[in-house]
Amino acid sequence: MPTVSTPYVTAGNRRKSNSGSVYTASPRKPAGTSSTVAGTSLPWYMNPSANARPDTQYSWQSRYDQSRTLSPAEQSLIQMQLRGGLPPNRPPAGNLPGAPGRGGGGGGGGGGGAAAPEGLDQATLDWLFGQIPNQRPQDLTYNPIDLPDPRQYYGNFDTSQYDVARQGIASGLAGVQQRANTSYDNALAQLQQYQNPYAAGPQQANPNYLAQFGAMAAANGAQGQMNQTVGEGAQADRAFGNVYALMNANDQARQAGNLRANAADRMTTEQNLGIEGNMLNLGANMAQAKGQSAWEQMVRQAQLDAANQETTANWQRQNTVGDTNVGNRNAWNSGLMNTLLSIIGSKAPGTTLPANYGGFYVQ
């Protein structure tokens, strides 16, 4: 199979062929050329005639198709050879699969053979179109980030130091209360041992002189005086009895007052210790509340920061996934259009295209 060597060397916009003639490359679409092939919807560069000068369809056109007479089927075949790594040599057109025959007589069957069908046959078309759905781009999946709750790291507020303070307050107040109760109990024991000296009343009384000296007083005519003396003694005894009763009552009242004072002092001490305990515990509770408030504010700030980080990361990732998927779809649809145009321009006459070509695109 003859090979085709590089027929020219580029020098700016001018090229030199093997014959030495110099020519200028044609523009992308020659002036005065229709945008479509006459009678069809094919673009102008699909025209198999030499006048189309399909310089812009394939990158190798200006090097391996100097005559500008290759049909679309031949052009597609050379492009497929280039993509498959085959040498980009142009074999005789008659030996190209699907290319028009060159010359008259056929092979060993005798008689002049007709020209081979031009372009891709139906089986090849069906195979090519059957590969398209399998190559569709796959969408990226968006998986949102879920950061752990900062509270799981920080945990709950530690109240142990405040609990120890409250325990110390309770223990100290209990010690003070115990010592105070001991003192009040000792005072009460002493008060209860006290005996009222006036409770028994007068221990002595004036003697009954009438019984002892009544006869003598009567004999001496002093009965009246004796009666007066005995009456004065009895009156004195009653007076002393009244004094003892008064002093006994006063002493009982004083004893009762001392007992009440002991109980009142005990109660006052308990109340004072209770108030002191409340004040000390209030201080510990307020310190705990202040510390816990600062702790909760820190945790909530950490939760807000984590939520903002999650939202930002998820927003960026979601946009990236969406943009990538849209870009992949657009690139696929654009490339699919070029591929379909290439295949359609290379198909043999009489072959049919699939009816569901619209399903090849991705939305």
Side-chain angles (χ1 to χ4, degrees), residues 116-130:
E118 179 180 331
L120 302 176
D121 57 22
Q122 188 66 53
T124 304
L125 281 177
D126 293 342
W127 182 84
L128 289 174
F129 282 111

Side-chain angles (χ1 to χ4, degrees), residues 26-50:
S26 64
R28 295 185 63 84
K29 188 177 78 168
T33 302
S34 174
S35 298
T36 58
V37 178
T40 69
S41 60
L42 296 175
W44 66 274
Y45 54 77
M46 290 295 185
N47 192 338
S49 67

Side-chain angles (χ1 to χ4, degrees), residues 31-97:
T33 302
S34 174
S35 298
T36 58
V37 178
T40 69
S41 60
L42 296 175
W44 66 274
Y45 54 77
M46 290 295 185
N47 192 338
S49 67
N51 293 332
R53 300 180 63 82
D55 295 34
T56 60
Q57 184 179 5
Y58 301 109
S59 60
W60 48 265
Q61 194 74 35
S62 60
R63 300 179 62 187
Y64 301 112
D65 187 18
Q66 293 300 303
S67 64
R68 309 298 196 274
T69 57
L70 288 181
S71 69
E74 292 170 323
Q75 296 170 3
S76 178
L77 179 60
I78 291 178
Q79 185 181 29
M80 292 173 65
Q81 288 176 335
L82 288 172
R83 291 181 177 178
L86 297 178
N89 300 326
R90 177 184 174 187
N95 295 334
L96 292 174

Side-chain angles (χ1 to χ4, degrees), residues 186-204:
N186 292 334
L188 180 62
Q190 294 297 324
L191 290 175
Q192 290 174 343
Q193 291 178 3
Y194 174 76
Q195 293 182 0
N196 188 351
Y198 305 104
Q203 303 298 313
Q204 299 293 329

Side-chain angles (χ1 to χ4, degrees), residues 270-327:
E270 291 177 353
Q271 291 176 347
N272 290 337
L273 290 176
I275 295 174
E276 187 69 19
N278 291 338
M279 295 297 295
L280 294 174
N281 285 323
L282 177 61
N285 293 338
M286 291 182 65
Q288 177 179 341
K290 184 177 180 181
Q292 190 162 1
S293 177
W295 175 273
E296 290 297 331
Q297 184 175 0
M298 177 194 67
V299 172
R300 287 194 296 270
Q301 183 63 46
Q303 289 174 330
L304 177 61
D305 293 342
N308 289 337
Q309 184 177 355
E310 284 183 5
T311 301
T312 302
N314 290 335
W315 179 80
Q316 293 176 344
R317 176 59 181 169
Q318 198 168 15
N319 286 342
T320 300
V321 169
D323 293 344
T324 302
N325 290 339
V326 171

